[in-house]
């Protein structure tokens, strides 16, 4: 399930995870302590894996730390270069997803050494890359990484 802004409530995330999917909470625009509270609410509703999505065009170190402190099993990154967060996430026990918004963005990510896209600069790689296109609902293009 896509991390659809404020519509990704703990109840939705838990319902998706309980049904066998991977529920995702959007965390980017949440205040850090609100994010902690929402993660704890998800934990009270499901014992299944779920994730938190963070847009890495803006600083996310504090939110990444909260996710890891709370034992979030999957961290998903988009709209920027997540390389600085990948080793931290893996050391904290989380799996990593990175969403790529276009073929051009994927080429830039590989050329820059983004480990989630096959780049060789980093020893730790994201567990999975995810492609998304212009026809997705409510999304934004990956312009901050590609520079366009």
């Amino acid at each position: 399930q896509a991390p659809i802004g404020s519509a990704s409530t703990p109840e939705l995330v838990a319902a998706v995870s309980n049904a066998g999917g991977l529920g995702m909470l959007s965390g980017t625009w949440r205040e850090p302590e609100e994010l902690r509270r929402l993660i704890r609410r998800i934990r009270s509703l499901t014992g299944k894996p779920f994730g938190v999505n963070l847009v890495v065009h803006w600083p996310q170190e504090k939110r990444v730390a909260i996710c890891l402190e709370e034992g979030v099993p999957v961290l998903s990154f988009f709209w920027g270069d997540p390389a600085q967060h990948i080793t931290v996430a893996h050391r904290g026990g989380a799996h990593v997803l990175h969403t790529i918004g276009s073929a051009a963005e994927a080429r830039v990510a590989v050329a820059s050494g983004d480990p989630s896209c096959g780049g060789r600069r980093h020893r730790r790689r994201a567990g999975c890359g995810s492609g998304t296109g212009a026809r997705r609902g409510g999304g934004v293009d990956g312009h901050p990484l590609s520079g366009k």
Side-chain angles (χ1 to χ4, degrees):
Q1 156 249 318
I4 44 181
S6 61
S8 65
T9 64
E11 291 74 19
L12 176 61
V13 172
V16 170
S17 291
N18 286 333
L22 181 62
M24 295 296 293
L25 179 70
S26 64
T28 301
W29 294 277
R30 315 262 189 187
E31 290 297 323
E33 287 310 311
E34 178 192 13
L35 178 60
R36 186 183 306 277
R37 183 182 57 77
L38 294 173
I39 292 167
R40 289 178 178 175
R41 174 75 176 137
I42 294 166
R43 285 257 183 243
S44 76
L45 297 171
T46 187
K48 304 283 185 173
F50 66 94
V52 172
N53 176 264
L54 298 168
V55 174
V56 294
H57 182 65
W58 296 279
Q60 296 296 344
E61 290 81 5
K62 185 163 186 147
R63 288 175 186 85
V64 169
I66 287 170
C67 290
L68 297 175
E69 289 165 11
E70 296 297 326
V72 172
V74 177
L75 287 176
S76 169
F77 300 113
F78 183 54
W79 214 30
D81 183 357
Q84 71 182 40
H85 302 297
I86 291 173
T87 299
V88 172
H90 283 154
R91 284 185 185 148
H95 296 279
V96 175
L97 303 173
H98 179 200
T99 301
I100 301 297
S102 68
E105 186 180 40
R107 285 189 291 276
V108 169
V110 169
S112 72
D114 183 336
S116 63
C117 303
R120 307 263 187 245
R121 181 177 63 183
H122 304 281
R123 294 183 60 176
R124 293 304 301 248
R125 297 178 63 139
C128 177
S130 171
T132 185
R135 293 186 171 240
R136 68 200 177 280
V140 294
D141 290 323
H143 294 264
L145 182 61
S146 66
K148 294 183 180 179

